[in-house]
Amino acid sequence: MEEESFYIKVNGIVYEIIPEEEGTFTIFKSGAEHMQLLRNRNKKWMRIDYKTDEPILEENKEVEDVGRLIDRALKRE
């Protein structure tokens, strides 16, 4: 069963979250595709590189904030 998209607000900015396959989420910001996120086995949120489709290991406050609110919206830890 495919999950429906939902909206979250981070620091006054509204993001549309579209669940994809295998725990991946496409994130829209201001109506445009902004990034893709993946939650790894260690419960760490990572941005996916559009060119390589590989997770990017970096500290990114926006990714962490959006990921935290995705978890909250889906009520998981």
Side-chain angles (χ1 to χ4, degrees):
M1 182 174 119
E2 190 171 313
E3 295 180 55
E4 293 188 25
S5 67
F6 58 94
Y7 295 87
I8 60 172
K9 191 173 191 178
V10 178
N11 299 322
I13 299 169
V14 176
Y15 295 84
E16 181 179 10
I17 312 301
I18 300 176
E20 305 286 350
E21 58 192 39
E22 300 180 23
T24 302
F25 296 84
T26 300
I27 313 302
F28 284 79
K29 178 179 176 182
S30 301
E33 189 170 337
H34 179 58
M35 63 181 158
Q36 283 192 308
L37 296 183
L38 171 69
R39 188 174 192 230
N40 72 11
R41 291 175 226 210
N42 297 327
K43 300 181 181 180
K44 173 84 171 145
W45 285 96
M46 296 180 289
R47 187 169 56 92
I48 297 173
D49 185 284
Y50 282 108
K51 293 178 184 174
T52 64
D53 279 340
E54 295 293 322
I56 298 172
L57 300 173
E58 66 181 357
E59 291 294 320
N60 185 315
K61 182 167 175 28
E62 181 182 31
V63 167
E64 292 169 14
D65 289 346
V66 169
R68 181 175 39 80
L69 289 177
I70 290 172
D71 281 339
R72 188 177 296 162
L74 299 177
K75 297 192 183 358
R76 65 182 188 198
E77 293 297 318

